[in-house]
Amino acid sequence: MQRPNGFIKNNPLQTDSRITITHPSGNKRFVIHGPGLIDDQMDLIGLPSNELSPHLPLITATLQLWQNLLNVTGGDLSRPKCAVAPLTYNFTPTRYGDASVKLFTIDESPGQIELQPFNQAKLLTILRKLGPESVERYLGLHLNVNCTWTFEFHKRKDQMDKMARRIIDAAMKRHSAYLIFQINYKPALSYPLHHNLFTDQQCDSIQSSFINAILPKMGFNRHMPRVVIFGPQIYGGVALADAKVKQTVFLVTDMITELQRSTLVGKQFNFLIANYQRYLGTAIPFFHQNPADYSYKPRNSRIPFIWEKMYQNQITASSDTWWLPKTPLKNDLAIMDAFILGKKRLQGTSSNFTDTMMNNANSVRLYLRCTFLSDIVGPDKCSIAPWATVGGPHS
């Protein structure tokens, strides 16, 4: 939902600009306060059910209230720039006992929001409705509603291809080529890499046309090995910027810097890392482990993406302030750690755990609200507690 500000609660005509993230320890909460009535703001609204239609009156009334408040305070709500994106899901059972999840399309999620211009006898304005594949431009970046960067990738690739064509047709000296690389290319490439989650293949595709065009202007053969082109000068390389390396450096350093400074974003990172630790169900810091072992980790998310890049480049991060689940018992083991150890031990055999089995195991563990084996053992310490086999959450 893109609009001026406000976090819709279940109380009609009541808005709150705060979003609360609960720490897994249970005794800390992180409150994100809305920055006020500003432009280019995107707010997430939690719906009590997986349907949009029953909640349209509440959403419409709240948006109408915000529009009126803006008008009486001297501002205005540009309704053509506002949009609503319902993220409702369709669950389809599979033969494996789990369910596949797919976002509803616009047609599958009926209903629309209409706003009345403040103190004007005009027709109601229907807000744009976005589907899962729709794209919104937000602070210079293009984000798909389904949290992918497909459109942004094609946009950046087209931008670099146009720059490459101009370079090919231009007559320039070597120092001019270096200036263009530093002044035009690097800033245009760097800004999105601080925020996007491009794959290595996408990064190579974005930069390839420009690199091939600028190398001859710099006096190099365009077929020179890229390890030399992007390698550091201390080892005889040209030290040109490599998009995939820059993206990893930007994302990791931005996160570590915010955590060290304990800024608002850093506190949010701290809480999100703790919640990812709880979701993965491991008692070992997940930044020290192979992300490939966790097939059930969230996708299209910044922290798992950073985790994969750090492991790929043999980078580790740790902090004494990061939360880890604790157990008072000796030789106790986290349930998902036991599954991962078993999967490694059974690798290559017909009894090995599949990704579906790992996903289901973690889903059941989350439902039971358990982390360690001791959480589900019975009074005899030798068998599973009856409440766990029945399927009730652990109190």
Side-chain angles (χ1 to χ4, degrees):
M1 171 83 59
Q2 187 171 337
R3 57 189 180 81
N5 190 21
F7 187 77
I8 293 180
K9 301 177 71 174
N10 294 332
N11 189 7
L13 295 183
Q14 181 178 355
T15 58
D16 192 347
S17 59
R18 298 173 297 174
I19 300 175
T20 301
I21 304 176
T22 304
H23 196 276
S25 62
N27 57 6
K28 290 188 292 184
R29 294 177 183 272
F30 176 66
V31 180
I32 304 175
H33 295 272
L37 304 179
I38 63 173
D39 295 332
D40 292 333
Q41 183 167 326
M42 184 180 298
D43 289 329
L44 299 177
I45 300 171
L47 300 179
S49 64
N50 192 39
E51 293 180 290
L52 177 65
S53 298
H55 312 292
L56 284 177
L58 168 62
I59 299 175
T60 302
T62 308
L63 287 176
Q64 187 72 55
L65 174 62
W66 276 115
Q67 176 192 262
N68 297 346
L69 287 174
L70 280 173
N71 276 270
V72 298
T73 55
D76 186 27
L77 177 66
S78 180
R79 291 177 296 278
K81 295 182 180 179
C82 296
V84 58
L87 298 178
T88 50
Y89 297 85
N90 179 26
F91 296 90
T92 304
T94 67
R95 61 189 181 93
Y96 298 105
D98 58 354
S100 61
V101 182
K102 183 181 179 181
L103 285 170
F104 280 130
T105 63
I106 295 179
D107 296 333
E108 294 171 332
S109 183
Q112 59 189 17
I113 295 178
E114 299 177 328
L115 296 184
Q116 175 68 44
F118 178 71
N119 200 23
Q120 299 179 29
K122 292 185 178 181
L123 296 176
L124 295 174
T125 301
I126 299 176
L127 295 189
R128 290 184 299 116
K129 193 174 180 181
L130 307 178
E133 301 298 331
S134 301
V135 178
E136 278 292 289
R137 187 174 183 270
Y138 186 68
L139 297 179
L141 301 174
H142 300 83
L143 176 64
N144 292 66
V145 173
N146 58 7
C147 296
T148 61
W149 299 94
T150 305
F151 186 88
E152 177 71 11
F153 159 68
H154 292 293
K155 196 76 174 178
R156 296 299 171 181
K157 179 172 171 54
D158 291 342
Q159 179 187 17
M160 296 304 162
D161 290 345
K162 291 178 182 177
M163 293 178 63
R165 287 193 291 268
R166 290 197 295 268
I167 293 296
I168 293 174
D169 297 335
M172 64 180 69
K173 297 181 179 180
R174 289 181 60 181
H175 74 275
S176 299
Y178 276 98
L179 284 175
I180 291 174
F181 185 87
Q182 294 292 336
I183 297 175
N184 297 95
Y185 172 74
K186 285 184 68 175
L189 180 70
S190 298
Y191 175 71
L193 294 182
H194 279 277
H195 312 281
N196 295 335
L197 307 180
F198 293 140
T199 64
D200 288 351
Q201 292 77 14
Q202 289 176 326
C203 288
D204 289 335
S205 179
I206 289 172
Q207 69 184 358
S208 61
S209 60
F210 183 86
I211 294 298
N212 288 333
I214 201 70
L215 283 178
K217 306 295 183 178
M218 291 180 168
F220 300 105
N221 190 317
R222 65 168 54 93
H223 300 295
M224 183 177 292
R226 292 302 182 258
V227 67
V228 178
I229 294 299
F230 299 130
Q233 293 179 344
I234 191 175
Y235 298 120
V238 183
L240 296 187
D242 186 358
K244 57 180 177 291
V245 175
K246 284 293 183 181
Q247 178 177 243
T248 300
V249 171
F250 289 152
L251 293 175
V252 174
T253 53
D254 287 348
M255 183 186 72
I256 298 299
T257 300
E258 298 293 346
L259 286 168
Q260 288 178 336
R261 293 178 179 176
S262 192
T263 61
L264 188 66
V265 176
K267 293 178 181 178
Q268 184 176 352
F269 268 125
N270 203 340
F271 273 62
L272 290 175
I273 290 172
N275 278 282
Y276 275 113
Q277 189 77 39
R278 177 174 62 176
Y279 176 83
L280 295 171
T282 174
I284 307 170
F286 66 87
F287 277 125
H288 296 177
Q289 303 187 61
N290 186 355
D293 293 336
Y294 295 85
S295 58
Y296 54 90
K297 63 182 179 296
R299 296 178 175 83
N300 298 332
S301 183
R302 179 173 298 270
I303 290 180
F305 186 85
I306 294 175
W307 177 21
E308 292 177 349
K309 292 299 180 182
M310 291 175 63
Y311 186 83
Q312 177 183 339
N313 293 277
Q314 300 180 354
I315 303 172
T316 59
S318 60
S319 173
D320 295 336
T321 62
W322 288 354
W323 177 85
L324 287 175
K326 302 293 184 182
T327 175
L329 302 179
K330 188 178 180 180
N331 298 326
D332 201 358
L333 185 63
I335 296 173
M336 295 314 300
D337 286 343
F339 269 95
I340 291 174
L341 289 173
K343 185 175 182 178
K344 292 179 179 179
R345 187 174 64 251
L346 298 173
Q347 190 172 10
T349 68
S350 58
S351 302
N352 193 16
F353 300 141
T354 64
D355 289 345
T356 300
M357 295 169 67
M358 296 293 290
N359 296 345
N360 291 342
N362 191 58
S363 298
V364 172
R365 180 195 66 81
L366 289 171
Y367 175 73
L368 295 177
R369 301 176 185 173
C370 296
T371 301
F372 293 94
L373 293 175
S374 59
D375 295 333
I376 58 174
V377 298
D380 59 358
K381 306 298 182 184
C382 298
S383 60
I384 303 296
W387 64 264
T389 58
V390 172
H394 184 45
S395 59

